[in-house]
Amino acid sequence: MRLKDKVAIITGAASGFGEGMARRFAEEGAKVVVADLNARGAERVAAEIGASAIAVASDVSSRSEVEEMVYAAKNAFGRIDIMVNNAGYTHRNGDMLAVDEATFDLITAVNMKAIYHATVAVVPIMERQGGGVILTTASTAGLRPRPGLTWYNASKGWAITATKSMAVELASKNIRVNCLCPVAGETGMLAQFMGEDTPELRAKFRASIPLGRLSTPLDIANAALWLASDEAEFITGVALEVDGGRCI
Ligand SMILES: NC(=O)c1ccc[n+]([C@@H]2O[C@H](COP(=O)([O-])OP(=O)(O)OC[C@H]3O[C@@H](n4cnc5c(N)ncnc54)[C@H](O)[C@@H]3O)[C@@H](O)[C@H]2O)c1
């Protein structure tokens, strides 16, 4: 019960890494707000978790929807201890010049501006409570970019720098800020990252990972669990690679 009595909001929790985190956090005693643009997916995950979870339909790129999500969390569970900015968006792997402006804007809105919206909404609450944890799903793409995902890579680099800067500025409020850097993982976004999902491309990606496999939602959830728990109370400003050695 490493998150007993903690309340966590997890965005992008209707599938993939976020779903893994919601399930793992709940197993360890947390009350979980399963937030996602995909309302039906969020409802499915929350229903499967049971009484310790609620689903909230929320577009993290909208300030008013983020405020409503935070209000719903406070209303349901009375406090907010952990804010996980996990929702993400990418362009398909390919020539950076072929990415249209609308797609670029969506990448920056979901991967960057959403962190600003969530921070503005939760920090005053965490400060009143005496502290909290903010966790973002960044990516190895922000540390060791590959060709083909330039605008996505850059958004994750922004998330890593925002994490470190927020960690310094929020330390005096006892708010820890960290991010995770997963390597390519078995989720709905994988085909976009690879360009298409073929056995050959999977083998190519696996070949760049010393431990010889892609990441799983459970790998990412276990790392998030530790960073969100009091066991990591002296850890802030970290961009933790969960990547089977890919970034070495
Ligand atoms: N899968 C990978 O290879 C990989 C690697 C590194 C980092 N990441 C990051 O992990 C995070 C989770 O992605 P995933 O791989 O689990 O993919 P996924 O597609 O399974 O999950 C992403 C979720 O985000 C939700 N979402 C998208 N836009 C949203 C919005 N505007 N508001 C609210 N929710 C929104 C989607 O509905 C979806 O449920 C993302 O930030 C992604 O960039 C993924």
Side-chain angles (χ1 to χ4, degrees), residues 11-19 35-38 58-62 85-90 106 110-111 137-141 152 156 180-190 193 215 217 220:
T11 69
S15 63
F17 295 159
E19 175 176 354
D36 206 291
L37 193 58
N38 171 0
S58 180
D59 178 349
V60 295
S61 68
S62 154
N85 300 302
N86 169 75
Y89 189 74
T90 186
L106 200 48
V110 179
N111 298 358
T137 308
S139 175
T140 54
Y152 172 81
K156 294 300 186 179
L180 296 167
C181 294
V183 77
E186 307 269 7
T187 74
M189 290 179 79
L190 186 62
F193 292 135
S215 69
I220 309 311

Side-chain angles (χ1 to χ4, degrees), residues 4-241:
K4 192 172 181 303
D5 301 327
K6 307 266 192 207
V7 176
I9 299 176
I10 305 171
T11 69
S15 63
F17 295 159
E19 175 176 354
M21 289 181 210
R23 292 180 183 282
R24 194 73 190 88
F25 282 24
E27 278 171 11
E28 294 285 343
K31 302 272 191 297
V32 181
V33 176
V34 179
D36 206 291
L37 193 58
N38 171 0
R40 284 181 61 188
E43 277 158 23
R44 175 187 60 81
V45 173
E48 286 172 15
I49 291 172
S52 55
I54 61 163
V56 177
S58 180
D59 178 349
V60 295
S61 68
S62 154
R63 184 181 188 124
S64 62
E65 291 196 27
V66 169
E67 284 170 354
E68 282 165 26
M69 171 184 80
V70 168
Y71 179 79
K74 205 69 180 52
N75 206 31
F77 299 126
R79 52 188 292 120
I80 298 167
D81 301 287
I82 302 160
M83 175 72 229
V84 185
N85 300 302
N86 169 75
Y89 189 74
T90 186
H91 56 92
R92 185 172 290 278
N93 196 314
D95 181 353
M96 64 177 167
L97 303 184
V99 176
D100 62 69
E101 189 174 347
T103 304
F104 178 89
D105 284 346
L106 200 48
I107 290 166
T108 59
V110 179
N111 298 358
M112 295 161 55
K113 198 172 183 185
I115 297 173
Y116 160 76
H117 289 323
T119 301
V120 169
V122 300
V123 163
I125 295 169
M126 289 179 173
E127 189 176 6
R128 278 197 298 279
Q129 291 171 180
V133 174
I134 299 174
L135 193 56
T136 293
T137 308
S139 175
T140 54
L143 296 168
R144 299 286 300 275
R146 299 170 191 259
L149 287 170
T150 290
W151 310 122
Y152 172 81
N153 295 340
S155 73
K156 294 300 186 179
W158 185 98
I160 292 166
T161 301
T163 295
K164 291 176 187 284
S165 193
M166 285 163 59
V168 181
E169 198 166 329
L170 295 175
S172 62
K173 302 186 198 304
N174 192 32
I175 298 172
R176 297 188 295 107
V177 189
N178 293 294
C179 66
L180 296 167
C181 294
V183 77
E186 307 269 7
T187 74
M189 290 179 79
L190 186 62
Q192 293 278 93
F193 292 135
M194 296 193 301
E196 53 181 336
D197 192 352
T198 63
E200 295 73 30
L201 278 170
R202 280 184 177 238
K204 191 177 146 197
F205 269 70
R206 271 200 305 275
S208 69
I209 302 170
L211 285 179
R213 66 169 174 82
L214 303 181
S215 69
T216 66
L218 186 58
D219 294 323
I220 309 311
N222 280 328
L225 168 65
W226 175 68
L227 283 173
S229 77
D230 292 341
E231 291 166 21
E233 70 175 5
F234 202 52
I235 311 293
T236 198
V238 159
L240 179 65
E241 293 115 327

